[in-house]
């Protein structure tokens, strides 16, 4: 019965949604603040046993979810571009709230996009999400190879050979499928000099940089601190990878055990050709 809801979609350009309520009194500086966070659809998980005892929350609504989203929204408000994984696009379990749109409103983001990767109708809307204070000059939605349910979002900021490409993703658990997905992403960023890859990659930086289709790009993985599980981190599987031409100013794994993953954040210095006057933006929140 569920098979009829898992529809095939073609990759292609999309338009970011606009949040008309976004406002503020500041501007983007010379640095871009990026964050990636697997929010586990707002479920608070603090112990392994919660995967069993709170598993029903993947199907049904719970009052704690709204409070967790408030906490996540407050955390995201400090950043310019955010990649979200395991977000619900509006179904029974989320009280029919599109969590990407809701977090855009809580964090005062002008632009947002929901990538629906597994549509289970009223039961669940498995999605990735994008939040941005900059209007992308290009946004592409890409289903990834392998079993349905994984996707990547390609953003471009600026124009020409100096444009910044940002790819947000949630990769598969299996090594073979993940390798196919990384090969696909490698093709997506072909020709871009400035690249950021961010998301839940379900593997360690060593495999990504040394034993995957990304190995010839010279990418930098500034973050090596474990991000999963959030209550006792042991595995570093959430990453923001940077092309070597980008200057890293700051790296953090945030001590915010709201989900079963910890969020990872970096500040990068924008290339001179991509400074605020060249980018289309709305103000940062107060």
């Amino acid at each position: 019965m569920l098979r009829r809801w898992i529809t095939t979609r073609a990759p292609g350009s999309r338009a970011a949604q606009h949040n008309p309520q976004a406002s503020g009194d500041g501007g983007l500086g010379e640095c871009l603040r990026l964050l990636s966070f697997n929010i586990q659809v707002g479920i608070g998980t603090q112990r392994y046993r919660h995967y069993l005892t709170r598993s029903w929350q993947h199907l049904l609504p719970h009052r704690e979810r709204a409070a967790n989203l408030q906490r996540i929204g407050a955390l995201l408000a400090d950043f310019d571009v955010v990649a979200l994984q395991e977000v619900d696009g509006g179904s029974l379990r989320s009280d029919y709230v599109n969590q990407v749109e809701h977090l855009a409103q809580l964090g005062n983001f002008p632009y947002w996009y929901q990538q629906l990767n597994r549509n289970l109708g009223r039961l669940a809307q498995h999605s990735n999400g994008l939040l941005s204070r900059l209007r992308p000059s290009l946004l592409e939605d890409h289903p990834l190879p392998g079993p349905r349910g994984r996707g990547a979002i390609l953003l471009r900021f600026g124009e020409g050979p100096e444009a910044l490409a940002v790819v947000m993703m949630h990769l598969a658990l299996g090594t073979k499928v993940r390798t196919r997905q990384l090969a696909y992403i490698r093709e997506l960023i072909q020709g871009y000099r400035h690249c950021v890859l961010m998301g839940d990659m379900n593997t360690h930086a060593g495999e990504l940089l040394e034993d995957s289709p990304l190995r010839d790009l010279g990418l930098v993985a500034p973050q090596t601190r474990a991000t999963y599980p959030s209550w006792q981190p042991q595995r570093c599987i959430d990453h923001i990878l940077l092309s070597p031409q980008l200057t890293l100013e700051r790296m953090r794994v945030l001590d915010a055990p709201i989900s079963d993953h910890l969020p990872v954040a970096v500040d990068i210095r924008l290339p001179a050709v991509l400074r605020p006057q060249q980018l289309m933006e709305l103000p940062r929140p107060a």
Side-chain angles (χ1 to χ4, degrees):
M1 181 177 69
L2 296 180
R3 187 177 182 84
R4 64 186 177 89
W5 283 320
I6 306 177
T7 57
T8 302
R9 73 181 190 278
S13 296
R14 304 289 191 269
Q17 299 294 313
H18 182 240
N19 172 19
Q21 300 174 2
S23 61
D25 66 353
L28 183 69
E30 293 185 351
C31 287
L32 190 67
R33 301 178 297 183
L34 305 115
L35 179 132
S36 179
F37 196 3
N38 181 326
I39 71 167
Q40 201 193 21
V41 296
I43 298 174
T45 302
Q46 290 85 40
R47 297 288 185 273
Y48 281 113
R49 67 174 180 269
H50 291 166
Y51 285 119
L52 177 63
T53 60
R54 300 182 182 181
S55 60
W56 61 271
Q57 294 182 31
H58 285 280
L59 299 173
L60 297 172
H62 185 259
R63 62 180 179 273
E64 181 186 328
R65 198 185 312 263
N68 284 339
L69 288 177
Q70 290 285 338
R71 295 170 62 197
I72 293 168
L75 181 151
L76 301 183
D78 235 6
F79 296 89
D80 301 310
V81 179
V82 174
L84 299 170
Q85 304 89 47
E86 294 195 24
V87 197
D88 192 83
S91 65
L92 174 63
R93 63 180 180 172
S94 63
D95 267 338
Y96 301 101
V97 170
N98 184 321
Q99 294 181 336
V100 185
E101 180 179 17
H102 185 52
L103 289 171
Q105 294 168 348
L106 291 175
N108 202 24
F109 286 88
Y111 302 102
W112 61 276
Y113 180 74
Q114 175 210 350
Q115 180 187 58
L116 179 57
N117 289 311
R118 191 179 295 119
N119 181 1
L120 301 184
R122 295 169 58 117
L123 294 179
Q125 299 280 301
H126 298 279
S127 304
N128 291 332
L130 148 74
L131 307 175
S132 180
R133 305 203 186 283
L134 305 173
R135 186 169 63 207
S137 53
L138 176 72
L139 189 157
E140 292 181 352
D141 184 311
H142 291 269
L144 289 173
R148 296 173 186 173
R150 303 285 183 175
I153 304 170
L154 169 66
L155 306 174
R156 187 182 72 213
F157 297 109
E159 302 288 348
E162 297 298 319
L164 175 66
V166 179
V167 182
M168 305 175 175
M169 69 198 76
H170 189 184
L171 300 182
L173 293 169
T175 302
K176 290 183 179 179
V177 175
R178 192 167 55 243
T179 297
R180 291 174 58 199
Q181 293 172 346
L182 288 168
Y184 184 95
I185 289 166
R186 175 69 177 82
E187 291 297 316
L188 285 184
I189 59 175
Q190 182 98 17
Y192 285 104
R193 183 166 179 261
H194 305 298
C195 298
V196 176
L197 306 183
M198 55 197 299
D200 179 354
M201 302 188 190
N202 273 314
T203 190
H204 296 274
E207 179 186 326
L208 292 166
L209 301 184
E210 300 168 11
D211 192 26
S212 86
L214 306 178
R215 59 185 175 272
D216 65 329
L217 297 179
L219 295 173
V220 177
Q223 182 285 103
T224 56
R225 181 183 157 194
T227 57
Y228 177 85
S230 59
W231 59 91
Q232 192 176 8
Q234 299 174 2
R235 301 184 63 207
C236 180
I237 59 176
D238 301 272
H239 302 283
I240 302 180
L241 308 179
L242 308 174
S243 59
Q245 294 82 9
L246 295 171
T247 302
L248 175 69
E249 294 290 330
R250 187 184 187 193
M251 183 284 297
R252 290 177 288 162
V253 173
L254 279 62
D255 187 18
I258 304 170
S259 162
D260 60 343
H261 289 244
L262 294 175
V264 57
V266 302
D267 297 357
I268 61 171
R269 183 166 294 275
L270 288 168
V273 294
L274 287 177
R275 296 288 160 80
Q277 60 269 25
Q278 282 82 33
L279 292 172
M280 296 170 284
E281 65 172 303
L282 287 183
R284 175 176 293 172

